[in-house]
């Protein structure tokens, strides 16, 4: 669109669009609306229930469980098939319900933005144009619209007339200062609002004669012609393709890495069992149910349920206690794993308003009189303006100076102009005189003062030094003139006496400094990506006590490692986030504008406040009720809480399952009968899985909450392999003790005793693993579940259900032998765990 409104004059633009200063007729507007469509950017659609459930099946373990359930049905193992398929259905339902609740919560938080625009329309070709309100969605290219203070720019427009117009483009560029716009016909370098030392007119949104959808009018008024609407606006282009596919998150990468290693081993297990039994024992297809049961035994069947329950509970708590909505449940785990948080400065670390830092006289010393004169000028500029709407600097002056200005009588005002970068108020002075109070950019004000070149250069250096410290600079000058009735104009701004400088800094966001200390204490590195001037960004970080290191400018070779990167475009933010992820970091990004959408998509977890633009809010994984860094700290802690419970579950269940499977494979080859009947294997798995549900309600230790929680596949597999082999040794030791002690009257009785003893031993070892590998401060729900599991292991075999499963009660001597084996196993488990913790 730059070429359309760039080198062309406003007249050429009107001709190309087939319109004029009087606007379109109603018939022309209706025809164009039918041709180009509504003026609304594309937004992602909410998924249907079937689609949500289908997406849950993409989880590797869920897909494998579904496969095993179908395989069990094929071999007529109906009990196994029913249990497994029920787990799949529960997992899919829980995940879909969690996403549905998040979407409903987000819909309740969603706010409408500009719904109407003031447009000039004609009833017919010869009719006079009338200004009326129409829905923004009905705007078309060629419409002539009017803009005033507080209005949102409804489309991409080319200015036809403008008076003192400044717009906030933070939603598109991240700039904290309003940008001056002018209806110029020749492309020119745009200039910043008076006093804004951090805007240099660079970037893709800085053409002074164009305003863009999503911007807000800060001051002044304008008439403009719409040149682009809907998907063709830069507002829409900044987001990239609607609903574009995101890369896998930290949670997806870690779980999938662990999953596929286990899945490969699990898929190899049934063929190995079948071939080994056929070759060594002459047992072929009759061992197929046992082989399937062993494969199921290796699978953490409850993983989808545990993961979904942990994340759903954490998300529900966040929504209730802190009004944080988690739109994508795995994003809660990603929050717990975040070690780098990228965010913008404006509106996050600072409020979107300046405050007065100090007032300096010409000698560089503090001079409160400079602030008083600046506030007088601001007061009467506001009182005499056609549309009273103070800009941010005027508001800061009036707040800092208090009640000043009313002691004078206002005479006239020359409003701010983008080309001369000054504003003047005229008040009555002593008898027969008027006082002109001029404020604006230092260079322009000094050009209007009576100064020798050397003094002018000295004062410019003073202003530059303050700007280099990250402050915005406003120069103030006055002049006395004989009283007159004739209105004052820009031609009267000469022969001024330089009064001094007023400097401004960005107001810090309440609680930002404390929140940054909290995030740093959680092991998170905060990086600031902003569209502001480097000095402005560095000053804000300094005021907040954020040790961000040197400031880089986007595009520098070192910007990826810098704590603060200034002059960031949307593409720069996304590139830096993607680079951090490629370097192995788990990255969170907090943003609220259209310019933040690419980075929100590139991050492991995108975070947006409720007040963000619709597109950013729809793209984000987590939505905050307010732009509050403290809420992110709570969300990170909740994510680590859930992640620690998921990691504990995986460590316990996988190490125990791996040990049991290894022992069963070895015993199956050494024994003349199956070491455990398929139904017994499944009953054991069911008991263990039921006990594992306690992990969803556990409270992890404080150490797990102090650092990012990441499931690193290699380290994780080393852990479960080591403890799994230890568990297999304990199982095989039990097998050896039983083999030597079995002296029953016949083989059938020996098999029943063996099955019962090993069933009991397996549940007791699994209870020990739950208790000793959990890592929390107190037993809590997991300790109680482990005790219940041990009780089932002791009481089920001699009971009626045990008899139905082919088991029998054990003599006291067998319990003594099992107690000895389990005691040695517990000591070995504690020793290995202590060594692991030290490492």
């Amino acid at each position: 669109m730059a070429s359309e409104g760039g080198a062309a004059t406003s007249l050429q633009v009107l001709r190309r669009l087939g319109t004029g200063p009087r606007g379109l007729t109603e018939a022309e507007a209706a025809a164009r609306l039918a041709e180009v469509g509504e003026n609304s950017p594309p937004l992602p659609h909410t998924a249907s229930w079937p689609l949500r459930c289908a997406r849950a099946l993409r989880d590797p373990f869920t897909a494998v469980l579904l496969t095993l359930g179908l395989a069990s049905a094929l071999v007529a193992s109906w009990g196994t098939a029913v249990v497994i398929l029920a787990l799949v259905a529960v997992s899919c339902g829980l995940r879909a319900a969690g996403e549905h609740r998040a979407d409903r919560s987000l819909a309740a938080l969603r706010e409408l933005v500009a719904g109407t625009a003031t447009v000039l329309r004609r009833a017919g070709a010869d009719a006079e144009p009338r200004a009326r309100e129409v829905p923004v969605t009905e705007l078309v290219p060629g419409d002539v619209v009017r803009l005033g203070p507080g209005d949102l720019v409804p489309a991409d427009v080319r200015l036809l007339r403008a008076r003192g117009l400044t717009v906030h483009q933070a939603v598109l560029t991240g700039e904290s200062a309003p940008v001056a716009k002018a209806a110029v016909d020749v492309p020119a370098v745009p200039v910043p609002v008076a006093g804004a030392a951090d805007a240099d007119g660079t970037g893709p949104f800085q053409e002074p004669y164009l305003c863009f959808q999503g911007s807000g009018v800060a001051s002044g008024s304008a008439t403009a012609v719409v040149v682009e609407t809907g998907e063709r606006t830069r507002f829409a282009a900044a987001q990239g393709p609607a609903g574009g596919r995101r890369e896998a998150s930290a949670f997806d990468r870690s779980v999938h890495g662990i999953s596929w290693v286990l899945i490969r081993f699990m898929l190899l297990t049934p063929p190995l069992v079948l071939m080994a039994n056929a070759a060594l024992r002459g047992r072929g297809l009759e061992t197929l149910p046992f082989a399937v049961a062993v494969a199921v035994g290796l699978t953490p069947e409850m993983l989808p349920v545990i993961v979904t329950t942990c994340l759903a509970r954490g998300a529900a708590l966040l929504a209730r206690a802190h009004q944080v909505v988690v739109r994508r449940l795995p994003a809660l785990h990603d929050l717990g794993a975040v070690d780098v948080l990228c965010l913008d400065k404006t509106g996050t670390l600072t409020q979107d308003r300046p405050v007065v830092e100090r007032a300096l006289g010409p000698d560089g010393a503090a001079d409160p009189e400079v602030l008083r004169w600046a506030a007088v000028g601001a007061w009467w500029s506001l009182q005499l303006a056609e549309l009273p709407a103070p800009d941010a600097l005027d508001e800061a002056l009036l707040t800092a100076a208090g009640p000043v200005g009313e002691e004078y009588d206002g005479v006239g005002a020359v409003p701010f102009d983008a080309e001369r970068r000054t504003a003047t108020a005229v008040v009555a002075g002593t008898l027969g005189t008027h006082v002109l109070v001029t404020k604006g950019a230092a260079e322009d004000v000094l050009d209007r003062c009576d100064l020798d070149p050397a003094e002018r250069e000295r004062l410019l250096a003073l202003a530059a030094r303050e700007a280099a410290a990250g402050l915005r600079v406003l120069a103030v000058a006055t002049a006395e003139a004989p009283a007159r009735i004739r209105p004052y104009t820009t031609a009267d701004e000469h022969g001024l006496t330089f009064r001094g400088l007023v400097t401004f800094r960005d107001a810090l966001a309440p609680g930002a400094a404390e929140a940054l200390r909290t995030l740093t204490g959680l092991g998170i590195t905060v990086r600031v990506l902003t569209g502001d001037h480097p000095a402005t960004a560095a000053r804000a970080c300094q005021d907040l006590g954020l040790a961000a290191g040197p400031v880089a400018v986007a595009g520098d070779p070192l910007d990826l490692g810098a704590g603060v990167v200034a002059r960031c475009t949307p593409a720069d933010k996304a590139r830096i986030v993607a680079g951090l992820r490629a370097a192995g970091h788990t990255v969170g990004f907090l943003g609220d504008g259209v310019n933040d959408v690419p980075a929100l998509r590139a991050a492991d977890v995108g975070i947006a406040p409720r007040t963000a633009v619709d597109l950013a809010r729809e793209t984000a994984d987590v939505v905050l009720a307010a732009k509050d860094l403290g809420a992110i700290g709570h969300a990170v802690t909740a994510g680590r809480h859930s992640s620690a419970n998921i990691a504990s579950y995986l460590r316990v269940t996988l190490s125990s399952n791996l040990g049991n499977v290894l022992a069963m494979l070895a015993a199956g080859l050494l024994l003349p009968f199956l070491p455990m009947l398929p139904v017994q294997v499944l009953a054991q798995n069911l008991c263990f899985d039921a006990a594992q549900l306690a992990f969803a309600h556990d409270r992890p230790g404080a150490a797990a909450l102090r650092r990012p929680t990441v499931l690193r596949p290699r380290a994780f597999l080393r852990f479960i392999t080591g403890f799994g082999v230890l568990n297999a040794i304990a199982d095989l030791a039990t097998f050896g003790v039983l083999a030597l002690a079995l002296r029953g009257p016949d083989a059938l009785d020996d098999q029943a005793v063996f099955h019962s003893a090993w069933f009991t031993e397996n549940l007791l070892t699994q209870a020990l693993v739950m208790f000793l590998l959990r890592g929390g401060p107190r037993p809590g729900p997991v300790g109680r579940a482990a005790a219940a599991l041990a009780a089932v292991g002791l009481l089920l075999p001699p009971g009626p259900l045990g008899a139905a499963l082919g088991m029998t009660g054990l003599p006291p001597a067998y319990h003594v032998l099992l107690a000895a084996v389990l005691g040695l196993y517990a000591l070995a488990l504690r020793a290995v765990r202590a060594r692991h913790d030290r490492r």
Side-chain angles (χ1 to χ4, degrees), residues 340-365:
V340 175
L341 177 65
C342 298
L343 44 81
D344 193 7
K345 174 185 73 69
T346 306
T348 305
L349 300 179
T350 62
Q351 301 179 60
D352 196 8
R353 64 179 182 85
V355 294
V356 172
E357 175 72 5
R358 55 181 177 165
L360 305 175
D363 58 354

Side-chain angles (χ1 to χ4, degrees), residues 221-246:
S221 59
T223 301
V225 60
V226 174
V227 293
E228 295 289 4
T229 59
E231 298 182 12
R232 294 166 300 282
T233 63
R234 288 193 181 174
F235 182 95
Q239 59 164 318
R245 183 164 181 167
R246 298 177 60 163

Side-chain angles (χ1 to χ4, degrees), residues 772-785:
L772 296 177
L773 291 191
R774 167 181 163 269
R778 294 186 300 273
V782 174
R784 293 190 290 273

Side-chain angles (χ1 to χ4, degrees), residues 22-26 28 120-130:
R22 301 169 69 224
L24 299 173
T25 66
E26 296 290 354
E28 289 172 336
L120 293 181
R121 291 274 178 86
R122 292 174 291 150
D126 299 326
E128 288 299 315
R130 293 177 53 196

Side-chain angles (χ1 to χ4, degrees), residues 553-590:
V553 176
D556 288 350
L558 301 178
D559 64 0
L560 194 61
V564 180
V565 184
R567 294 300 188 206
C568 280
T569 65
D572 289 325
K573 294 180 180 181
R575 173 181 56 80
I576 292 170
V577 169
L580 290 170
R581 291 185 67 191
H585 296 286
T586 303
V587 184
F589 184 85
L590 173 63

Side-chain angles (χ1 to χ4, degrees), residues 103-125:
D103 284 342
R104 280 194 353 196
S105 299
L106 186 69
L109 292 174
R110 185 176 291 120
E111 292 180 341
L112 296 176
V113 203
T116 61
T118 303
V119 62
L120 293 181
R121 291 274 178 86
R122 292 174 291 150

